[in-house]
Amino acid sequence: MSSDLTIYFGTVTGNAESLAFRAQERAQAAGISATLVNLAEISPDQLITEGHALFVVSTWGDGEPPMDVETFYYDLEASDLDLSNLSYAIFGLGDRDYPIFNGFARNLDERLASFGAQALYERAEADVFFDDTYAEWEAGIFPLLEERLALLATA
Ligand SMILES: Cc1cc2nc3c(=O)[nH]c(=O)nc-3n(C[C@H](O)[C@H](O)[C@H](O)COP(=O)(O)O)c2cc1C
């Protein structure tokens, strides 16, 4: 059986993966089945059949995706997907000392929306000390997800 929620992450040094893991634990505590997936391991068309997804992604280079997510992202940019089934929220990790703060999270958000995906919650843009920003985002997004998924289950 497929899960209720997919939590995609893009990382270099593991921060995004560890927060994605926290989100998975939070989901499971609420009875939501959630799968963790590295964006480096999928092609963008996998998103077409997705219902609800979280994206926890860091920014590297000069506002770029993590190196191993570049192929995914450039394929996504070059595609013409219909993502109207997808409801999503993005948690970005970055560092305000870089000129393009959270550039990848912003670009990914824009791109998903341009393909018809619905943003469920405002994108978070965390700085180097990301714990409090994450806790706030988690506290905001999960009640919404719980409500949506409960409604779907009774529909
Ligand atoms: C070489 C390097 C380049 C970076 N480039 C950016 C950047 O352009 N914009 C930004 O907001 N953060 C940038 N960062 C900060 C990272 O996104 C931040 O450290 C993040 O927590 C890393 O998460 P990860 O471990 O999931 O990859 C950069 C960090 C390094 C070391």
Side-chain angles (χ1 to χ4, degrees), residues 82-127:
D82 174 3
L83 297 183
S84 48
N85 283 327
L86 176 66
S87 297
Y88 71 98
I90 296 182
F91 187 89
L93 292 118
D95 179 340
R96 274 191 201 282
D97 283 346
Y98 286 89
I100 310 184
F101 178 56
N102 262 290
F104 177 47
R106 290 178 192 187
N107 290 339
L108 179 64
D109 199 358
E110 234 173 72
R111 196 56 60 177
L112 293 176
S114 77
F115 293 137
Q118 319 283 318
L120 271 177
Y121 195 64
E122 201 179 327
R123 182 184 65 249
E125 295 184 354
D127 206 346

Side-chain angles (χ1 to χ4, degrees), residues 10-17 58-64 66 93-96 98-103 128 130:
T11 190
V12 176
T13 51
N15 294 335
E17 185 173 9
S58 63
T59 291
W60 283 76
D62 195 10
E64 301 294 320
L93 292 118
D95 179 340
R96 274 191 201 282
Y98 286 89
I100 310 184
F101 178 56
N102 262 290
V128 275
F130 49 76

